[in-house]
Amino acid sequence: MSQDDLEIDLDAIQRRMDGAMHALRTEFGSLRTGRASASILEPIHVDAYGQQTPLNQLGTINVPEPRMVVINVWDKGMISKVERAIRDSGIGINPVVDGPIIRLPIPELNEERRKELSKVAAHYAEQARVAIRNVRRDGMDQIKKAKSAGMAEDDQKMWSEEVQALTDKAIAAVDKALEEKQKEIMQV
């Protein structure tokens, strides 16, 4: 086995950890914080043209003011389907149809709902931490295989420290993102 076979792919480990962070940011974006954001509509799909189509492919989504999202539906025949998809999505917003435009007034969050959303955000963050720790475990398994293939103990220690440093950095990023999201949720 050549020395190159004993290299650990830190870039792949970093990419997988970044993927967990990206997934966390997407989940955080879907949490409603009392402020209007087009990202709250990302998980919504509409039964359009015989298939489930993302809402953002059926119209223009704008945020003209802090508590309002406006959707300008391109195909007028899709307005009722878009409205139904929003009502059925469970995001807790009642759409108001005004011709080709659907307005989504964002209601104020009460204290109980804010605490509930904060717990959901913490759950999402824990899922991201678990994903990052799984990537770390896979990296450590690679190192163990390389050790049994003849990797020097100093190299093994160096790679283990590199993987742990990536893990610590990724977990810190998750914690920081959670702290910011919880602060945003609790802000009145």
Side-chain angles (χ1 to χ4, degrees), residues 115-179:
K115 287 180 180 172
E116 201 176 296
L117 284 174
S118 186
K119 285 179 186 171
V120 170
H123 175 72
Y124 287 159
E126 185 54 32
Q127 286 177 324
R129 284 189 207 98
V130 167
I132 289 166
R133 287 193 293 264
N134 286 340
V135 173
R136 175 190 175 278
R137 185 193 62 225
D138 293 347
M140 293 301 186
D141 288 348
Q142 284 180 356
I143 293 168
K144 282 181 189 157
K145 285 179 187 162
K147 177 187 178 191
S148 64
M151 178 184 273
E153 207 164 302
D154 287 350
D155 289 343
Q156 178 189 352
K157 186 174 182 350
M158 185 265 307
W159 286 114
S160 295
E161 288 170 358
E162 291 279 338
V163 170
Q164 187 59 50
L166 289 176
T167 303
D168 293 345
K169 185 177 162 193
I171 296 278
V174 168
D175 292 343
K176 186 175 187 311
L178 173 62
E179 184 181 317

Side-chain angles (χ1 to χ4, degrees), residues 32-38 40 62-70 92-96 102-110 114 184-185 187-188:
R32 195 162 57 83
T33 60
R35 279 202 298 266
S37 166
I40 64 171
N62 291 310
V63 183
E65 54 190 79
R67 300 191 111 24
M68 180 75 66
V69 177
V70 176
I93 300 173
N94 286 321
V96 178
I102 298 175
R103 298 182 198 287
L104 304 173
I106 309 295
E108 189 74 47
L109 294 176
N110 61 23
R114 287 178 194 281
E184 180 185 330
I185 289 169
Q187 188 177 19
V188 179

Side-chain angles (χ1 to χ4, degrees), residues 1-33:
M1 194 172 247
S2 73
Q3 188 63 29
D4 290 344
D5 293 338
L6 300 179
E7 292 288 309
I8 306 301
D9 191 353
L10 289 179
D11 288 341
I13 291 171
Q14 181 68 56
R15 259 193 315 278
R16 288 178 59 202
M17 288 182 179
D18 289 346
M21 194 65 203
H22 177 74
L24 177 66
R25 285 205 174 92
T26 302
E27 287 174 326
F28 277 179
S30 70
L31 286 178
R32 195 162 57 83
T33 60

